[in-house]
Amino acid sequence: MTTPTGHGLTVALDGPFHEIKNHWRSTITADDVVRDPSLPLPEARAWALEHLIDIANRGYAVAGFPGHGGTVAESVAHFEMMALGDLSLNIKSGVQHGLFGGAITNLGTSWHHEMFIDDLISCELTGCFAMTELGHGSDVSSVETTITYRPESDEYEINSPTPSATKAYIGNAGQDGKMAVVFGQLLVGKDNHGVHAVLVPIRNNNLEDLPGVTTGDHGHKGGLLGVDNGLLTFDHVRVPRRMLLNRYGGVGDDGVYTSPIESKNARFFTMLGTLVRGRICVGSGAAMATRKALSIATRYSLQRKQFRKPGMGQEVTLLDYQTHQRKLLPNIAKAYAYGFAVNEVSQHLQRVSEASGEDPSKARELETRAAGLKAVLTRWANDTIQVCREACGGAGYMSENGITLIRQDADIFATFEGDNTVLLQLVAKALLVDYKKTWGDMDMRGTAQATAKLLGGRFMERTTAGSTISRLVSNAKLKPESERLHARGWQVEMFEFREQHLVETLARRMRAAAKAPEDKIFDAVNECQEHMLEAARAHTDRTVLEAFVDGISQCHDEYIRALLIKICDLYALATIEENRAWFMEHNRIDGARSKAISTAVDALNLQLRGKAMELVEGLGVPVEWLGSAMLRDAGGQNISAEGVKLYSLRDGQPAI
Amino acid sequence: MTTPTGHGLTVALDGPFHEIKNHWRSTITADDVVRDPSLPLPEARAWALEHLIDIANRGYAVAGFPGHGGTVAESVAHFEMMALGDLSLNIKSGVQHGLFGGAITNLGTSWHHEMFIDDLISCELTGCFAMTELGHGSDVSSVETTITYRPESDEYEINSPTPSATKAYIGNAGQDGKMAVVFGQLLVGKDNHGVHAVLVPIRNNNLEDLPGVTTGDHGHKGGLLGVDNGLLTFDHVRVPRRMLLNRYGGVGDDGVYTSPIESKNARFFTMLGTLVRGRICVGSGAAMATRKALSIATRYSLQRKQFRKPGMGQEVTLLDYQTHQRKLLPNIAKAYAYGFAVNEVSQHLQRVSEASGEDPSKARELETRAAGLKAVLTRWANDTIQVCREACGGAGYMSENGITLIRQDADIFATFEGDNTVLLQLVAKALLVDYKKTWGDMDMRGTAQATAKLLGGRFMERTTAGSTISRLVSNAKLKPESERLHARGWQVEMFEFREQHLVETLARRMRAAAKAPEDKIFDAVNECQEHMLEAARAHTDRTVLEAFVDGISQCHDEYIRALLIKICDLYALATIEENRAWFMEHNRIDGARSKAISTAVDALNLQLRGKAMELVEGLGVPVEWLGSAMLRDAGGQNISAEGVKLYSLRDGQPAI
């Protein structure tokens, strides 16, 4: 059914994960992964658990676990494919295998692995990742739960000292979980060693609360009805000493605390760092769900007609309207861009994972990348799925057409695994780290020099396809002014200028803020918050564009490559257009150039409109998984031929 | 509980409808209007119907009906208050009393009024407004349903000739409706007189389909679970001749069709024009729901703390963060602006309604205003409710906290009563009407002259507070450059320039497009679509600002007035900031001025942060109606005092 062009695009976009993803497409059916959107809460939960157990026991949840086949990078690809099916199923798996299983894998040692991993893969042992508390969500290092070593019985005692210490919004805690990885302050004698994680059984096999544990159920949510989020409190619950996930520290046989990492803070952030996959998965899962929404809305826009052409009988197909092209095509281009970026970050994750702590700068870079991508992709997901809903009119609001469920489920992706606003600040802080080192006593001139040096250095280091990009940038300078917009090198320079300037000016402002009197520092830094978010977005956009360029360079089919180049043009120009106010404020473009960029976006939309069906085929969502009654009604035929013809004739040349 | 400042703001914002709105606040309880967000579909429907019947029978649904107390403008105020309670209840009422009742009132004659209105007010007679068809949503003049006059029995025969003629997404059609106002092509002999509306009984009192009628149920939707949207098809169903709503045309006793309006097109648009209240209600209902979301999120942001100030012990309240202020405060300012705009348009509706067709230009202006407001307010509503959800983090996603239900219910407001993209094009076309008249044979110079004349004329006529605004514009010119941004006259001129330039250039482009060869006209006009949307938004923004200025001029409490002036500054500057790329592209501001505008928005946010609680109190949402567990947990105390103090001390002057 898929056109050769669509297939070729999918191969390019899947990249190194094509085999895994195609295995899903060819062996997993809609019955396996597509939920009826009208299921009420109890049925949705039952569906998600049942289908998770089924999929896991068919071998789709072993990648990334010690002693099982498949790499960590591949586990992200599995997660992505499940997100194309259903986000409740996906997050149920994310809680069980990603968070609960990931914590045991990364924070535990071989005893924990041997004892628990097989059972958690099969879902025999259902578990929670209990970090967030009612009182502390974003500020997790301040959680109040305590894990106190009790030498008299060689146990840890887990306790919730206040109501705000209640673990909240915890997946699997509402109903299904039998065990929890509980994060709390580790107290040994008079010392607080900071946040550690401990395994605590919470329910017996009849799902009754164990003594000292009180579970609560958050009940109905704005979406993800298949995931049972809940509350946990602990009243002096004791577990054997070996239940502490002690890879980064714990009490030894001698009753004394030891850790390979001395600083409490560094230890906690190292522990969090090993859990970075979760953040990558949330960003990429949201992006995959958005691909599904775009596939539904675009296919609908190719079958739905409304209003007649003036003076002519025929009704106009929705996607022939300029406004409709604006809604969908730049977002399809972004779906490609973000897909390549996720492929790149997954491979980066794999490298860091294999290095097991040997290259801390790469690990830190990965965390920055993951945080930025998570924030940018989930924001885009929420906005774009809504655009898709509206692009389908009243039909888009009917649950049977598949979009509203995606919209509701994807919503919380902006919040969990790190609130987007907080994550972007983390990214900005990471970008400033190298500046900070230069602050000290340096005067204004010294800082400026150091800044200039740094700008040529680490934080602007091109992450992938470095030599290709250098060549593109050089080539762009040779092009006549009129062709510059479509020169990749010019686009890259625009992205780089934006990041560089934003980080440089942010560094100056933050330096000044740091010099404010003690009681004014908060206000001074607070005034830079919006600037921080902008810098973080600019950084992420730049790395996404680089990943796209890299993705194109990996594609050896000339025709597909030519299409990808157009799609990348649209991604780059639409992103520059979104930030055109900033570019004008900083005299990088004038008003005329700004208008020319918008005109170029419209023109690219019109060119790519004739290939719209192939572009959404390329996004790689199996048609049977779309779960959209309005598309089934139309027989699901490929409707793009007419469009291609229309625009080919119009321009007197092929659409591409 | 409410502060005097909050109360004063409510009085000003309620304006002429304060008495009605306060009556709701003092007599309607949360039990009457707040739905449990976790109710599954069948229970949600039952709840909505039951509560609608209760409220209607307590006299809250009679305004605007002939022979009952209360004006049409007041019926909008009633609708707005119900939207603050629950949107399903609100839309159920909108379908029953607004659309079904409104069609009978406006398209019917006294026989229809006497026969049906009492029963429909009490909900004894439940009804549908059956306009949209599967094949034709936005393009309603092309509906396929036929209403054929059968002289042999003096009846009309209603028929759905094709599957795409099925009436779709119709409220009350899924389950509860007993009658429908059905829109179809009126055929008499060989003549098609265009779209008319006829009353057709669809279900008996046991809610069984009547012969020839087939109803269907859309079932689960993305929201509004309390409203039973459904499908209707008619198989040669006959009704007596008097069932046609024949105010604007029908077959007389002599079997001959007559109408007071000759043109088929003009007749249909006159009929649609009488239904303009629905569009006003959808825009204002969405805006009221957004007030509720803003009230929840802002109150939460004043009780929730996260992270500690550097070097200090205390944790920071969310609303003290610059990014959080950016999320909420400009949107609170917009809530005020749109509230004043709705008050103004409601009074405009009242004047047009009282003139009963005597002033067609005012009626046309009202339709333009209603379409623009509906599109702008519902777009803002969707975006802002989502911002509120995210601003409450994980708690915002729990249904018990009240925001997700609003988000899901408000979604479809972007589509029903006119797709926003289509409505904005209608607005743009209306703005061009005066230009069109000048097109004819005129050469470029003649057009430019006519254009210039018109620009000083009708379409830019200041709609309210005209003399106040002229004075403000004159005053602004006297102010030193540095104070200009906060001069209302300067802001007004910016809004006016944007509208004027966009409409002028659109007119030129459309004129050129009209000269394209027949087969290229669609493409040429299509290229102007985004430009049309921009022009329509600019027009709407300008009239909103004028309504705000008018609202301020009606406020005689000096302190409240001073606050409103600040809020209006924030509305105006935030709107200019959103469009700063356009202003730079058109050389109206340079980069430095653009940055100064953003800085001014941040500064206003900081100033108004100290009054945040009073500002949301002023939005007039009864605290008991917020339906938010997380606020109840905190005891609902007024938490703003600290904020006021903090910022008063900081600036060394009162926050305002």
PDB file of all heavy atoms in Angstrom, chain A residues 238-265:
ATOM      1  N   ARG A 238      10.208  -1.136  57.439  1.00  0.00           N
ATOM      2  CA  ARG A 238      11.589  -1.629  57.413  1.00  0.00           C
ATOM      3  C   ARG A 238      11.820  -2.633  56.289  1.00  0.00           C
ATOM      4  O   ARG A 238      10.947  -3.460  56.000  1.00  0.00           O
ATOM      5  CB  ARG A 238      11.929  -2.274  58.751  1.00  0.00           C
ATOM      6  CG  ARG A 238      11.952  -1.221  59.859  1.00  0.00           C
ATOM      7  CD  ARG A 238      12.745  -1.701  61.029  1.00  0.00           C
ATOM      8  NE  ARG A 238      12.820  -0.655  62.035  1.00  0.00           N
ATOM      9  CZ  ARG A 238      13.669  -0.679  63.057  1.00  0.00           C
ATOM     10  NH1 ARG A 238      14.514  -1.701  63.197  1.00  0.00           N
ATOM     11  NH2 ARG A 238      13.691   0.300  63.934  1.00  0.00           N
ATOM     12  N   VAL A 239      13.000  -2.525  55.654  1.00  0.00           N
ATOM     13  CA  VAL A 239      13.404  -3.500  54.642  1.00  0.00           C
ATOM     14  C   VAL A 239      14.844  -3.915  54.939  1.00  0.00           C
ATOM     15  O   VAL A 239      15.610  -3.144  55.531  1.00  0.00           O
ATOM     16  CB  VAL A 239      13.311  -2.933  53.204  1.00  0.00           C
ATOM     17  CG1 VAL A 239      11.876  -2.587  52.835  1.00  0.00           C
ATOM     18  CG2 VAL A 239      14.230  -1.726  53.029  1.00  0.00           C
ATOM     19  N   PRO A 240      15.250  -5.138  54.504  1.00  0.00           N
ATOM     20  CA  PRO A 240      16.640  -5.569  54.723  1.00  0.00           C
ATOM     21  C   PRO A 240      17.622  -4.616  54.024  1.00  0.00           C
ATOM     22  O   PRO A 240      17.277  -3.992  53.018  1.00  0.00           O
ATOM     23  CB  PRO A 240      16.693  -6.957  54.066  1.00  0.00           C
ATOM     24  CG  PRO A 240      15.266  -7.395  53.939  1.00  0.00           C
ATOM     25  CD  PRO A 240      14.436  -6.165  53.837  1.00  0.00           C
ATOM     26  N   ARG A 241      18.806  -4.569  54.533  1.00  0.00           N
ATOM     27  CA  ARG A 241      19.817  -3.630  54.025  1.00  0.00           C
ATOM     28  C   ARG A 241      20.080  -3.790  52.531  1.00  0.00           C
ATOM     29  O   ARG A 241      20.309  -2.816  51.825  1.00  0.00           O
ATOM     30  CB  ARG A 241      21.126  -3.842  54.819  1.00  0.00           C
ATOM     31  CG  ARG A 241      22.277  -2.990  54.350  1.00  0.00           C
ATOM     32  CD  ARG A 241      23.363  -2.885  55.411  1.00  0.00           C
ATOM     33  NE  ARG A 241      23.906  -4.192  55.791  1.00  0.00           N
ATOM     34  CZ  ARG A 241      24.956  -4.767  55.188  1.00  0.00           C
ATOM     35  NH1 ARG A 241      25.594  -4.153  54.212  1.00  0.00           N
ATOM     36  NH2 ARG A 241      25.384  -5.950  55.582  1.00  0.00           N
ATOM     37  N   ARG A 242      20.011  -5.027  52.052  1.00  0.00           N
ATOM     38  CA  ARG A 242      20.361  -5.236  50.634  1.00  0.00           C
ATOM     39  C   ARG A 242      19.333  -4.634  49.671  1.00  0.00           C
ATOM     40  O   ARG A 242      19.542  -4.610  48.461  1.00  0.00           O
ATOM     41  CB  ARG A 242      20.539  -6.722  50.352  1.00  0.00           C
ATOM     42  CG  ARG A 242      19.268  -7.518  50.575  1.00  0.00           C
ATOM     43  CD  ARG A 242      19.494  -9.008  50.455  1.00  0.00           C
ATOM     44  NE  ARG A 242      18.248  -9.713  50.753  1.00  0.00           N
ATOM     45  CZ  ARG A 242      18.138 -11.018  50.867  1.00  0.00           C
ATOM     46  NH1 ARG A 242      19.217 -11.779  50.713  1.00  0.00           N
ATOM     47  NH2 ARG A 242      16.980 -11.585  51.123  1.00  0.00           N
ATOM     48  N   MET A 243      18.198  -4.180  50.210  1.00  0.00           N
ATOM     49  CA  MET A 243      17.178  -3.597  49.333  1.00  0.00           C
ATOM     50  C   MET A 243      17.546  -2.184  48.874  1.00  0.00           C
ATOM     51  O   MET A 243      16.904  -1.640  47.967  1.00  0.00           O
ATOM     52  CB  MET A 243      15.812  -3.585  50.032  1.00  0.00           C
ATOM     53  CG  MET A 243      15.256  -4.977  50.324  1.00  0.00           C
ATOM     54  SD  MET A 243      14.846  -5.919  48.825  1.00  0.00           S
ATOM     55  CE  MET A 243      13.105  -5.445  48.636  1.00  0.00           C
ATOM     56  N   LEU A 244      18.551  -1.583  49.485  1.00  0.00           N
ATOM     57  CA  LEU A 244      18.990  -0.280  48.983  1.00  0.00           C
ATOM     58  C   LEU A 244      19.676  -0.477  47.626  1.00  0.00           C
ATOM     59  O   LEU A 244      20.498  -1.378  47.470  1.00  0.00           O
ATOM     60  CB  LEU A 244      19.983   0.367  49.959  1.00  0.00           C
ATOM     61  CG  LEU A 244      20.273   1.848  49.666  1.00  0.00           C
ATOM     62  CD1 LEU A 244      19.169   2.745  50.222  1.00  0.00           C
ATOM     63  CD2 LEU A 244      21.627   2.280  50.232  1.00  0.00           C
ATOM     64  N   LEU A 245      19.322   0.364  46.661  1.00  0.00           N
ATOM     65  CA  LEU A 245      20.001   0.326  45.354  1.00  0.00           C
ATOM     66  C   LEU A 245      21.326   1.055  45.541  1.00  0.00           C
ATOM     67  O   LEU A 245      21.394   2.276  45.501  1.00  0.00           O
ATOM     68  CB  LEU A 245      19.116   0.967  44.275  1.00  0.00           C
ATOM     69  CG  LEU A 245      17.789   0.223  44.037  1.00  0.00           C
ATOM     70  CD1 LEU A 245      16.900   0.998  43.068  1.00  0.00           C
ATOM     71  CD2 LEU A 245      18.022  -1.193  43.521  1.00  0.00           C
ATOM     72  N   ASN A 246      22.369   0.275  45.783  1.00  0.00           N
ATOM     73  CA  ASN A 246      23.589   0.825  46.385  1.00  0.00           C
ATOM     74  C   ASN A 246      24.780   0.982  45.448  1.00  0.00           C
ATOM     75  O   ASN A 246      25.914   1.026  45.891  1.00  0.00           O
ATOM     76  CB  ASN A 246      23.981  -0.025  47.592  1.00  0.00           C
ATOM     77  CG  ASN A 246      24.255  -1.469  47.193  1.00  0.00           C
ATOM     78  OD1 ASN A 246      23.822  -1.909  46.128  1.00  0.00           O
ATOM     79  ND2 ASN A 246      24.981  -2.193  48.038  1.00  0.00           N
ATOM     80  N   ARG A 247      24.494   1.063  44.144  1.00  0.00           N
ATOM     81  CA  ARG A 247      25.626   1.212  43.224  1.00  0.00           C
ATOM     82  C   ARG A 247      26.438   2.476  43.538  1.00  0.00           C
ATOM     83  O   ARG A 247      27.646   2.480  43.418  1.00  0.00           O
ATOM     84  CB  ARG A 247      25.112   1.269  41.784  1.00  0.00           C
ATOM     85  CG  ARG A 247      26.210   1.490  40.767  1.00  0.00           C
ATOM     86  CD  ARG A 247      25.682   1.309  39.351  1.00  0.00           C
ATOM     87  NE  ARG A 247      26.605   1.826  38.362  1.00  0.00           N
ATOM     88  CZ  ARG A 247      26.276   2.084  37.111  1.00  0.00           C
ATOM     89  NH1 ARG A 247      25.030   1.875  36.702  1.00  0.00           N
ATOM     90  NH2 ARG A 247      27.171   2.554  36.262  1.00  0.00           N
ATOM     91  N   TYR A 248      25.759   3.545  43.936  1.00  0.00           N
ATOM     92  CA  TYR A 248      26.469   4.801  44.199  1.00  0.00           C
ATOM     93  C   TYR A 248      26.581   5.112  45.692  1.00  0.00           C
ATOM     94  O   TYR A 248      26.826   6.255  46.062  1.00  0.00           O
ATOM     95  CB  TYR A 248      25.804   5.958  43.446  1.00  0.00           C
ATOM     96  CG  TYR A 248      25.947   5.786  41.961  1.00  0.00           C
ATOM     97  CD1 TYR A 248      24.882   5.335  41.186  1.00  0.00           C
ATOM     98  CD2 TYR A 248      27.169   6.022  41.355  1.00  0.00           C
ATOM     99  CE1 TYR A 248      25.033   5.146  39.820  1.00  0.00           C
ATOM    100  CE2 TYR A 248      27.341   5.833  39.993  1.00  0.00           C
ATOM    101  CZ  TYR A 248      26.267   5.404  39.229  1.00  0.00           C
ATOM    102  OH  TYR A 248      26.429   5.219  37.885  1.00  0.00           O
ATOM    103  N   GLY A 249      26.341   4.132  46.525  1.00  0.00           N
ATOM    104  CA  GLY A 249      26.538   4.382  47.949  1.00  0.00           C
ATOM    105  C   GLY A 249      25.547   3.644  48.811  1.00  0.00           C
ATOM    106  O   GLY A 249      24.398   3.416  48.418  1.00  0.00           O
ATOM    107  N   GLY A 250      26.033   3.239  50.002  1.00  0.00           N
ATOM    108  CA  GLY A 250      25.160   2.550  50.927  1.00  0.00           C
ATOM    109  C   GLY A 250      25.961   2.081  52.126  1.00  0.00           C
ATOM    110  O   GLY A 250      27.189   2.257  52.176  1.00  0.00           O
ATOM    111  N   VAL A 251      25.262   1.509  53.084  1.00  0.00           N
ATOM    112  CA  VAL A 251      25.914   1.018  54.290  1.00  0.00           C
ATOM    113  C   VAL A 251      26.478  -0.375  54.013  1.00  0.00           C
ATOM    114  O   VAL A 251      25.783  -1.222  53.440  1.00  0.00           O
ATOM    115  CB  VAL A 251      24.898   0.982  55.451  1.00  0.00           C
ATOM    116  CG1 VAL A 251      25.490   0.279  56.665  1.00  0.00           C
ATOM    117  CG2 VAL A 251      24.450   2.403  55.809  1.00  0.00           C
ATOM    118  N   GLY A 252      27.737  -0.591  54.385  1.00  0.00           N
ATOM    119  CA  GLY A 252      28.379  -1.888  54.176  1.00  0.00           C
ATOM    120  C   GLY A 252      28.148  -2.847  55.331  1.00  0.00           C
ATOM    121  O   GLY A 252      27.432  -2.526  56.295  1.00  0.00           O
ATOM    122  N   ASP A 253      28.754  -4.017  55.212  1.00  0.00           N
ATOM    123  CA  ASP A 253      28.615  -5.025  56.259  1.00  0.00           C
ATOM    124  C   ASP A 253      29.056  -4.497  57.618  1.00  0.00           C
ATOM    125  O   ASP A 253      28.600  -4.956  58.670  1.00  0.00           O
ATOM    126  CB  ASP A 253      29.474  -6.261  55.921  1.00  0.00           C
ATOM    127  CG  ASP A 253      28.926  -7.006  54.711  1.00  0.00           C
ATOM    128  OD1 ASP A 253      27.722  -6.828  54.405  1.00  0.00           O
ATOM    129  OD2 ASP A 253      29.698  -7.748  54.075  1.00  0.00           O
ATOM    130  N   ASP A 254      29.982  -3.516  57.579  1.00  0.00           N
ATOM    131  CA  ASP A 254      30.493  -2.958  58.828  1.00  0.00           C
ATOM    132  C   ASP A 254      29.585  -1.875  59.408  1.00  0.00           C
ATOM    133  O   ASP A 254      29.930  -1.217  60.388  1.00  0.00           O
ATOM    134  CB  ASP A 254      31.892  -2.380  58.587  1.00  0.00           C
ATOM    135  CG  ASP A 254      31.896  -1.379  57.431  1.00  0.00           C
ATOM    136  OD1 ASP A 254      30.797  -1.146  56.835  1.00  0.00           O
ATOM    137  OD2 ASP A 254      32.960  -0.828  57.118  1.00  0.00           O
ATOM    138  N   GLY A 255      28.446  -1.641  58.754  1.00  0.00           N
ATOM    139  CA  GLY A 255      27.530  -0.635  59.276  1.00  0.00           C
ATOM    140  C   GLY A 255      27.942   0.789  58.959  1.00  0.00           C
ATOM    141  O   GLY A 255      27.345   1.738  59.469  1.00  0.00           O
ATOM    142  N   VAL A 256      28.948   0.937  58.091  1.00  0.00           N
ATOM    143  CA  VAL A 256      29.450   2.273  57.758  1.00  0.00           C
ATOM    144  C   VAL A 256      29.064   2.617  56.328  1.00  0.00           C
ATOM    145  O   VAL A 256      29.117   1.763  55.434  1.00  0.00           O
ATOM    146  CB  VAL A 256      30.992   2.313  57.915  1.00  0.00           C
ATOM    147  CG1 VAL A 256      31.547   3.659  57.446  1.00  0.00           C
ATOM    148  CG2 VAL A 256      31.370   2.023  59.360  1.00  0.00           C
ATOM    149  N   TYR A 257      28.682   3.884  56.115  1.00  0.00           N
ATOM    150  CA  TYR A 257      28.303   4.332  54.773  1.00  0.00           C
ATOM    151  C   TYR A 257      29.530   4.565  53.915  1.00  0.00           C
ATOM    152  O   TYR A 257      30.491   5.213  54.364  1.00  0.00           O
ATOM    153  CB  TYR A 257      27.495   5.641  54.837  1.00  0.00           C
ATOM    154  CG  TYR A 257      27.136   6.152  53.458  1.00  0.00           C
ATOM    155  CD1 TYR A 257      25.998   5.688  52.798  1.00  0.00           C
ATOM    156  CD2 TYR A 257      27.952   7.077  52.808  1.00  0.00           C
ATOM    157  CE1 TYR A 257      25.670   6.127  51.521  1.00  0.00           C
ATOM    158  CE2 TYR A 257      27.641   7.515  51.526  1.00  0.00           C
ATOM    159  CZ  TYR A 257      26.492   7.036  50.889  1.00  0.00           C
ATOM    160  OH  TYR A 257      26.188   7.469  49.640  1.00  0.00           O
ATOM    161  N   THR A 258      29.533   4.045  52.694  1.00  0.00           N
ATOM    162  CA  THR A 258      30.605   4.369  51.738  1.00  0.00           C
ATOM    163  C   THR A 258      29.981   4.649  50.374  1.00  0.00           C
ATOM    164  O   THR A 258      28.877   4.166  50.063  1.00  0.00           O
ATOM    165  CB  THR A 258      31.600   3.214  51.546  1.00  0.00           C
ATOM    166  OG1 THR A 258      30.857   2.059  51.123  1.00  0.00           O
ATOM    167  CG2 THR A 258      32.366   2.914  52.809  1.00  0.00           C
ATOM    168  N   SER A 259      30.709   5.430  49.583  1.00  0.00           N
ATOM    169  CA  SER A 259      30.254   5.767  48.239  1.00  0.00           C
ATOM    170  C   SER A 259      31.447   6.043  47.368  1.00  0.00           C
ATOM    171  O   SER A 259      32.441   6.605  47.836  1.00  0.00           O
ATOM    172  CB  SER A 259      29.356   7.009  48.285  1.00  0.00           C
ATOM    173  OG  SER A 259      29.177   7.529  46.980  1.00  0.00           O
ATOM    174  N   PRO A 260      31.385   5.651  46.096  1.00  0.00           N
ATOM    175  CA  PRO A 260      32.482   5.998  45.180  1.00  0.00           C
ATOM    176  C   PRO A 260      32.511   7.494  44.862  1.00  0.00           C
ATOM    177  O   PRO A 260      33.481   7.968  44.289  1.00  0.00           O
ATOM    178  CB  PRO A 260      32.177   5.169  43.933  1.00  0.00           C
ATOM    179  CG  PRO A 260      30.715   4.874  44.001  1.00  0.00           C
ATOM    180  CD  PRO A 260      30.357   4.840  45.456  1.00  0.00           C
ATOM    181  N   ILE A 261      31.441   8.225  45.209  1.00  0.00           N
ATOM    182  CA  ILE A 261      31.395   9.662  44.901  1.00  0.00           C
ATOM    183  C   ILE A 261      31.283  10.424  46.212  1.00  0.00           C
ATOM    184  O   ILE A 261      30.333  10.231  46.978  1.00  0.00           O
ATOM    185  CB  ILE A 261      30.190   9.989  44.003  1.00  0.00           C
ATOM    186  CG1 ILE A 261      30.251   9.136  42.726  1.00  0.00           C
ATOM    187  CG2 ILE A 261      30.160  11.476  43.653  1.00  0.00           C
ATOM    188  CD1 ILE A 261      29.023   9.227  41.856  1.00  0.00           C
ATOM    189  N   GLU A 262      32.231  11.312  46.442  1.00  0.00           N
ATOM    190  CA  GLU A 262      32.310  11.935  47.751  1.00  0.00           C
ATOM    191  C   GLU A 262      31.181  12.955  47.999  1.00  0.00           C
ATOM    192  O   GLU A 262      30.506  12.914  49.017  1.00  0.00           O
ATOM    193  CB  GLU A 262      33.673  12.609  47.909  1.00  0.00           C
ATOM    194  CG  GLU A 262      34.007  12.879  49.360  1.00  0.00           C
ATOM    195  CD  GLU A 262      35.496  13.149  49.533  1.00  0.00           C
ATOM    196  OE1 GLU A 262      36.284  12.660  48.682  1.00  0.00           O
ATOM    197  OE2 GLU A 262      35.879  13.836  50.484  1.00  0.00           O
ATOM    198  N   SER A 263      31.015  13.859  47.005  1.00  0.00           N
ATOM    199  CA  SER A 263      30.047  14.945  47.211  1.00  0.00           C
ATOM    200  C   SER A 263      28.613  14.433  47.136  1.00  0.00           C
ATOM    201  O   SER A 263      28.235  13.700  46.217  1.00  0.00           O
ATOM    202  CB  SER A 263      30.272  16.033  46.151  1.00  0.00           C
ATOM    203  OG  SER A 263      29.052  16.615  45.787  1.00  0.00           O
ATOM    204  N   LYS A 264      27.812  14.841  48.125  1.00  0.00           N
ATOM    205  CA  LYS A 264      26.410  14.438  48.207  1.00  0.00           C
ATOM    206  C   LYS A 264      25.663  14.859  46.952  1.00  0.00           C
ATOM    207  O   LYS A 264      24.873  14.106  46.374  1.00  0.00           O
ATOM    208  CB  LYS A 264      25.805  15.139  49.432  1.00  0.00           C
ATOM    209  CG  LYS A 264      24.686  14.426  50.086  1.00  0.00           C
ATOM    210  CD  LYS A 264      24.510  14.900  51.526  1.00  0.00           C
ATOM    211  CE  LYS A 264      23.837  16.260  51.604  1.00  0.00           C
ATOM    212  NZ  LYS A 264      23.437  16.594  53.010  1.00  0.00           N
ATOM    213  N   ASN A 265      25.941  16.092  46.552  1.00  0.00           N
ATOM    214  CA  ASN A 265      25.272  16.666  45.401  1.00  0.00           C
ATOM    215  C   ASN A 265      25.665  15.946  44.116  1.00  0.00           C
ATOM    216  O   ASN A 265      24.818  15.545  43.320  1.00  0.00           O
ATOM    217  CB  ASN A 265      25.681  18.144  45.306  1.00  0.00           C
ATOM    218  CG  ASN A 265      24.511  18.997  44.898  1.00  0.00           C
ATOM    219  OD1 ASN A 265      23.358  18.596  45.072  1.00  0.00           O
ATOM    220  ND2 ASN A 265      24.795  20.165  44.365  1.00  0.00           N
TER     221      ASN A 265
END
